[in-house]
Amino acid sequence: MSQLASEPSAQRDLPTYRDIRVEHAGPISWIVLARPDKANALSNAMLDEFSDALARLADAGGPVIGIRGEGRGFCAGYDVDQVGKPKAADPVADRERLARNVARYLAIWDHPKPVIAAVHGYCIAGATQLCVFCDLTIVAEDARIGEPAVPLGGGYIAPLWAPLVGPKRAKELAFLPGNAIDGRTAVEWGWANQAVPADRVQATVEGLAARMAKIPSDVLRIKKLSINRTMDAMGVRTAAAQVPEMDALLHLSPSVLQLRDWIGEVGLKAAIAEFRTPPEERT
């Protein structure tokens, strides 16, 4: 019997949001990142809406939650015009800001329902943090998944990859500026579950959700909790708690402050090009 049919709250209305959209499709309720003109960058408003929808879907919608992006890609990471700008000379406020973002993703980890990320196009920086804490991640074979293009911080993205991919691959990701992997490699590394053609990502997730919905919701909840507690015993939650401190520390380091000044002089696009171009190819 479909689990959706047994949940009286399945069709409960949610608010209308500005930067995300909630769509119900049988057993799955989708949270759609919907700022395609901004590459679905995570603004403060979008993050607040995402957290609100996630919390409401604990008691509404289908037995499975999916997260996907509208347009050409999943998400380009934090909106550098808002979320990516720490308050000058205030490491405490910066640390609190960064910790709030990690807490948003731990809410996925702690959510009573399975949460599946559907990644196509690009998934960069903070967007990869979101996916790390999802229960499953399905990626397009040609997706681009990786670090920020310019190293303005550190100790915030790759450490959260380490439990999935191991320390050496996390360091390979972190030590090369703007480093990225494709969907097939993400599966090989253990960051994602399946890589499929780009036009099959959403359908694959919906197929998985339909199969999951055959399991009673309380059974799914305990299965998820049991596995997560094993990971917590291995230190995942402790590791997540320390990344805001590392990033806040680097945001006020002389080298990062100098780098920010340089980006202000040359422009972000030129800075990205500089870091992406291997030394032997520069003129």
Side-chain angles (χ1 to χ4, degrees), residues 94-248:
D94 192 24
R95 184 263 170 204
E96 294 300 318
R97 173 183 67 85
L98 296 164
R100 281 195 299 272
N101 292 337
V102 173
R104 297 178 193 277
Y105 304 143
L106 282 170
I108 299 171
W109 184 257
D110 292 329
H111 203 276
K113 298 179 181 180
V115 182
I116 310 176
V119 174
H120 76 290
Y122 42 80
C123 178
I124 307 298
T128 72
Q129 292 176 307
L130 186 158
C131 293
V132 160
F133 289 105
C134 289
D135 300 300
L136 277 73
T137 301
I138 307 302
V139 298
E141 294 170 335
D142 60 354
R144 180 172 173 269
I145 304 154
E147 280 271 292
V150 180
L152 289 174
Y156 194 53
I157 306 297
L160 298 180
W161 283 49
L164 300 181
V165 308
K168 290 188 180 291
R169 282 174 170 162
K171 289 172 183 175
E172 179 181 343
L173 178 81
F175 292 178
L176 301 173
N179 199 9
I181 57 177
D182 62 19
R184 294 184 183 90
T185 304
V187 173
E188 178 187 337
W189 281 19
W191 185 87
N193 295 84
Q194 297 181 36
V196 300
D199 62 355
R200 293 294 302 161
V201 172
Q202 183 173 337
T204 299
V205 171
E206 290 178 350
L208 289 169
R211 292 178 63 188
M212 288 181 190
K214 296 183 179 185
I215 298 178
S217 59
D218 57 346
V219 176
L220 279 174
R221 171 57 178 147
I222 297 303
K223 284 177 177 285
K224 174 172 177 172
L225 184 62
S226 178
I227 295 169
N228 284 0
R229 283 192 173 175
T230 299
M231 297 303 294
D232 286 343
M234 295 168 66
V236 170
R237 194 178 297 269
T238 301
Q242 63 84 31
V243 297
E245 282 84 356
M246 296 295 100
D247 210 37

Side-chain angles (χ1 to χ4, degrees), residues 3 9 15 36 38 47 64 66 80 85 99 104-105 109 116 121 123 133 143 155 162 169 181 234 259 263 270 282:
Q3 187 64 26
S9 61
K38 298 292 186 180
L47 287 166
V64 180
V80 294
K85 288 186 177 180
R104 297 178 193 277
Y105 304 143
W109 184 257
I116 310 176
C123 178
F133 289 105
R169 282 174 170 162
I181 57 177
M234 295 168 66
L259 183 57
I263 293 172
R282 294 175 189 162

Side-chain angles (χ1 to χ4, degrees), residues 15-21 34-35 43-46 49 82:
T16 298
Y17 298 105
R18 186 187 70 181
D19 293 329
I20 68 167
R21 190 169 64 253
R35 294 181 78 208
S43 65
N44 290 311
M46 178 185 274
E49 290 181 352
Q82 293 184 19

